[in-house]
Amino acid sequence: METNRPDYTETLTRHGIRPTAVRLLIYKTALRFHDTFSMSELEDALESVDKSTVFRTLLLFAARHLLHEIEDGSGSTKYCICRNDRPCGIDELHCHFHCEACRKTFCLDYTHIPAVRYPAGFEVRQIDYLLKGLCPDCRAKRHV
């Protein structure tokens, strides 16, 4: 028996998500994306799962902090898997970089969102910190 195999059922359960076969399939497929992914990219990778199920599952995963939602200005919400072994807090969110040439959005996993002071009485639930410019590949193509 393999001992280093991740326990996806336990991960979903720890996040308060009932681990159905479809949810496990969607989670395992989402893990294959290194950086961010859109719902349509996930749907393309999951030909056997209908769009409404993918949409509802993404909403559930985001609500339970299993993944993050990113608005990168492209008009399509992007998602990335939370790499912690527990739900992420606001102070653990990371920055993202959107390439204006290739339209990809990259996770900057080790670049945390800086502390932002806000007035008393406000409750912060989500912070998006997005840098825009050219990724290394697109920058190199422009300087050739």
Side-chain angles (χ1 to χ4, degrees):
M1 179 179 209
E2 216 177 305
T3 58
N4 292 333
R5 195 180 85 223
D7 187 352
Y8 301 121
T9 299
E10 197 273 329
T11 300
L12 294 185
T13 302
R14 188 173 54 246
H15 283 81
I17 300 168
R18 190 168 49 88
T20 65
V22 172
R23 288 174 181 166
L24 286 164
L25 176 63
I26 291 171
Y27 180 63
K28 289 177 190 177
T29 304
L31 285 170
R32 293 191 295 201
F33 292 94
H34 174 69
D35 284 298
T36 65
F37 58 92
S38 66
M39 186 173 122
S40 64
E41 290 171 319
L42 188 60
E43 289 169 353
D44 290 345
L46 291 163
E47 296 175 7
S48 64
V49 181
D50 66 274
K51 291 180 180 191
S52 62
T53 299
V54 173
F55 177 73
R56 286 190 313 272
T57 302
L58 287 173
L59 288 177
L60 175 64
F61 286 2
R64 299 298 170 95
H65 304 284
L66 186 60
L67 55 80
H68 305 288
E69 294 178 305
I70 300 103
E71 299 295 333
D72 62 8
S74 68
S76 174
T77 300
K78 300 295 189 314
Y79 303 91
C80 67
I81 293 290
C82 180
R83 303 289 178 189
N84 288 337
D85 62 350
R86 65 195 182 319
C88 289
I90 290 290
D91 59 333
E92 298 171 296
L93 297 177
H94 58 270
C95 300
H96 295 88
F97 185 94
H98 180 73
C99 180
E100 295 169 321
C102 67
R103 315 295 291 162
K104 291 180 186 173
T105 300
F106 301 89
C107 291
L108 304 179
D109 290 324
Y110 301 104
T111 306
H112 293 282
I113 294 174
V116 176
R117 294 174 54 120
Y118 52 90
F122 286 83
E123 178 182 335
V124 177
R125 294 193 178 155
Q126 179 175 337
I127 299 174
D128 294 321
Y129 197 94
L130 182 71
L131 294 88
K132 291 186 177 187
L134 297 176
C135 70
D137 290 342
C138 292
R139 184 172 177 254
K141 289 175 189 173
R142 295 227 171 139
H143 289 87
V144 173

